[in-house]
Amino acid sequence: SKANKKIFSLILKLVVSVLLFYAIYRQLFGRLNGNQLIEVFTQSRPAISSYYLLVAVLLMPFNWILEAHKWRRLIQQLANYSFTNALKGVLLGISVSLMTPNRVGEFGGRILVLDAEHRIEGVALTLTSSLSQMLATLLFGIFGLAGFIIYIEPNGPLLLFTLIFCSMCTLIGLITFFN
């Protein structure tokens, strides 16, 4: 019945919330206690570390919004999903991936907001999304590595080899992805 589904949904949400808080707690305090964690953080260039942390935290919602926009564009071919639904999928994917190794749970989390008949295609679209993200990261990383080699370490043969190798991998990935 509907009442049982609501109760089950509420219990499931509570269990997921508790597991998420536990996973975050383990990530933060698993190796160090709270005082040691704060000490390590403040000793590593306190002003710069705090600035980068603040910038990263402030940019996280922007990243989630961009990811939701990308996800919505991908799932539009299945059905007419709203941006809110896409954002829920992205946030659910992030939440579930915190509890699974190597972000495997992101696939499962995202497809939970899709209708049952679109879930198989949703897995393929999530894989497409992750692959396109990886290719973009590799491409911009190659530009960064090239800039590093040119301006910082011009005599680094290992870096040059790495640049050429990464460029070839990205080129192969782009060719495969668009064929």
Side-chain angles (χ1 to χ4, degrees), residues 58-126:
L58 291 175
L59 288 176
M60 282 170 41
F62 180 69
N63 183 49
W64 294 334
I65 289 169
L66 286 176
E67 188 68 28
H69 178 69
K70 180 175 75 171
W71 177 238
R72 181 174 184 247
R73 290 193 49 130
L74 281 170
I75 61 175
Q76 281 299 102
Q77 49 191 297
L78 301 178
N80 192 14
Y81 288 99
S82 67
F83 176 79
T84 305
N85 207 13
L87 185 60
K88 282 180 188 176
V90 167
L91 294 177
L92 192 57
I94 291 168
S95 300
V96 173
S97 73
L98 285 174
M99 295 181 284
T100 58
N102 297 324
R103 292 180 44 201
V104 171
E106 186 174 352
F107 292 94
R110 284 192 182 194
I111 64 167
L112 286 176
V113 299
L114 299 178
D115 295 330
E117 67 266 13
H118 298 300
R119 289 193 176 154
I120 300 295
E121 295 96 342
V123 171
L125 290 174
T126 303

Side-chain angles (χ1 to χ4, degrees), residues 128-160:
T128 302
S129 175
S130 296
L131 183 61
S132 67
Q133 184 74 38
M134 184 185 69
L135 287 174
T137 302
L138 275 173
L139 186 63
F140 285 102
I142 287 170
F143 290 129
L145 184 60
F148 180 79
I149 290 172
I150 292 169
Y151 295 109
I152 307 296
E153 189 65 42
N155 297 324
L158 181 61
L159 289 175
L160 185 61

Side-chain angles (χ1 to χ4, degrees), residues 3-19:
N4 288 341
K5 283 184 180 181
K6 282 188 177 188
I7 291 172
F8 178 73
S9 176
L10 179 64
I11 291 172
L12 185 63
K13 288 176 184 178
L14 286 172
V15 168
V16 168
S17 296
V18 168
L19 288 174

